[in-house]
Structures are given as C-alpha cells and as structure tokens.
Amino acid sequence: MATPNTNPSSLAGWKATGAKELRKIWENLWTDPVDDNSARSFRGRNLTPEEAGDVFERWILEAFRLSGMTGHYAFPVPLRESESIREQIDGLVIDGWQGFLVESKFWTKKVDFGSIALLHAHVETRPVGTLGLFFSAFGYTPPALESAELLRPVRVLLFDRSDLMRALLGGSFKGRMVEMVRRKWMLAMKYGRSYLPVSELSGFFN
C-alpha cells in the first residue's frame, strides 16, 4: 500500500507492526462511556478527539493492509486547472478488479446522511463497479440509514464498530477485512440494504 509518509510518530503516517499492535491500538481508542472527553491514546500519546479521528482513519487502512489487500493511503484530488482541492479521499483499497473508496469517521455523535451522500457522489465519478466503504466508529443516525436506502443503485456499504470487531476475531487476521466487506456486499445484494451487520449473514450455500 503506497504512502508518502511512514513517520512512526505521525498520527496520519504510521504503520502497524502486525495484527497484535493493531488490536492494541484499537483497545486504546475505545472508552466506556463514550464521549469527546474520554481519554484515548496512541503509542503512549494522549489524543484529542480530532487526533483520535486521524488514528482511526489510518487504522482502517492498516487493517486492510495487514489483512492482505493492496491500496493507497489518504490523498487529495486536485482540480485540473488550479491548485485547489476538489475532494479529499481517506483511502482506497483494491481486491482484484474491484476498487473501494474509503471514508472513516470517529465521531462520538452518529454520522448523518450528508457524509454518506458525499461519498456516494465521489464513487459515482469513478469507474463502473467502484464501491464506497464508509466506516463510522459510533454508528449512524436513524434518518441517515433511512435516507441511505433511497440511494440507488447501492454504491456505498456502511460499517460500524460491530462489523470491525467481528473482523478482529480469530487467531489469524489474514483475509479478515476483505471477508467482512464481502459479507456486507452479499447482504446488500440479498436485501438491498447497505448497512445490515455482517453477523446477520446466513442462508448462503457453499
């Protein structure tokens, strides 16, 4: 996975040494009860809410990398005729000829529909078959999920903490993230809904 910055002290440019460290970073991001004033840390450094978001964004991409997928870390898309930024992409991952744009939010307040619609718009400017993967650490508002059902065709799959926790289970981390994405995709095909928990997948024959 290409990256312009692998400074281990950077909140946006670090790399995990392995699945064990990735799980440890996950544990240090979560607190109970959940609020913006909760103490979170990364490699011994206390984090502000904004910094926790930077770590979570990178954590998602590192999880894909350690799962065995290829991709690209966060990058801007400039306007053609100027130095202005058209859009900022949190990352992308590739599975064969299938490409995914990644958006990650570590908001203690649930994500609203506007952010989902924006990722959907980004995906629509990419080659046919591209999908969006939206990761919200603390879920989505009910109106956001209701509105997401109106976006057709389904171009964005919605993930939350429960999906990621399932991907982290097991002794080996290899392939776990891509399996999580495939399960979400299968549920979306079966029910036409982009947000069903991957734990609900059943009824498919081998």
Side-chain angles (χ1 to χ4, degrees):
M1 189 175 287
T3 176
N5 181 7
T6 56
N7 180 355
S9 64
S10 168
L11 296 178
W14 56 275
K15 279 193 173 183
T17 57
K20 183 178 180 180
E21 184 187 22
L22 201 69
R23 291 186 172 101
K24 182 63 176 178
I25 293 170
W26 170 273
E27 292 172 1
N28 289 336
L29 280 178
W30 300 102
T31 58
D32 190 21
V34 174
D35 60 59
D36 282 336
N37 296 318
S38 298
R40 298 184 175 89
S41 64
F42 171 73
R43 292 178 174 173
R45 171 179 172 176
N46 292 332
L47 301 174
T48 66
E50 181 178 353
E51 289 173 338
D54 291 337
V55 172
F56 180 68
E57 177 184 310
R58 184 74 172 200
W59 187 97
I60 294 294
L61 298 174
E62 282 297 278
F64 277 114
R65 181 180 68 84
L66 293 177
S67 184
M69 295 184 73
T70 188
H72 198 291
Y73 295 105
F75 61 94
V77 178
L79 290 169
R80 182 176 180 180
E81 301 297 335
S82 71
E83 297 181 357
S84 300
I85 301 302
R86 187 183 79 187
E87 58 197 28
Q88 178 71 35
I89 306 298
D90 286 353
L92 64 85
V93 290
I94 308 294
D95 181 26
W97 282 95
Q98 178 68 66
F100 306 93
L101 294 186
V102 177
E103 179 73 18
S104 304
K105 298 294 186 188
F106 197 81
W107 296 348
T108 53
K109 294 182 179 178
K110 297 181 185 297
V111 167
D112 59 19
F113 177 65
S115 298
I116 300 170
L118 182 59
L119 179 57
H120 190 276
H122 291 337
V123 169
E124 287 190 318
T125 67
R126 267 59 183 189
V128 174
T130 304
L131 293 176
L133 306 179
F134 200 116
F135 294 90
S136 173
F138 302 104
Y140 308 86
T141 65
L145 296 180
E146 292 173 3
S147 297
E149 288 202 38
L150 301 178
L151 291 173
R152 291 292 182 266
V154 174
R155 300 293 300 275
V156 175
L157 303 178
L158 306 179
F159 300 82
D160 61 17
R161 181 181 179 182
S162 67
D163 297 316
L164 291 169
M165 290 184 69
R166 187 175 181 86
L168 284 168
L169 295 175
S172 173
F173 192 62
K174 193 71 173 178
R176 298 289 293 182
M177 291 293 285
V178 67
E179 177 63 20
M180 177 192 66
V181 171
R182 287 172 178 166
R183 283 173 172 263
K184 185 75 71 168
W185 175 74
M186 292 166 73
L187 284 165
M189 284 204 304
K190 185 176 180 180
Y191 297 107
R193 296 174 181 172
S194 60
Y195 55 82
L196 296 176
V198 297
S199 59
E200 291 190 13
L201 184 69
S202 63
F204 283 85
F205 54 82
N206 294 322

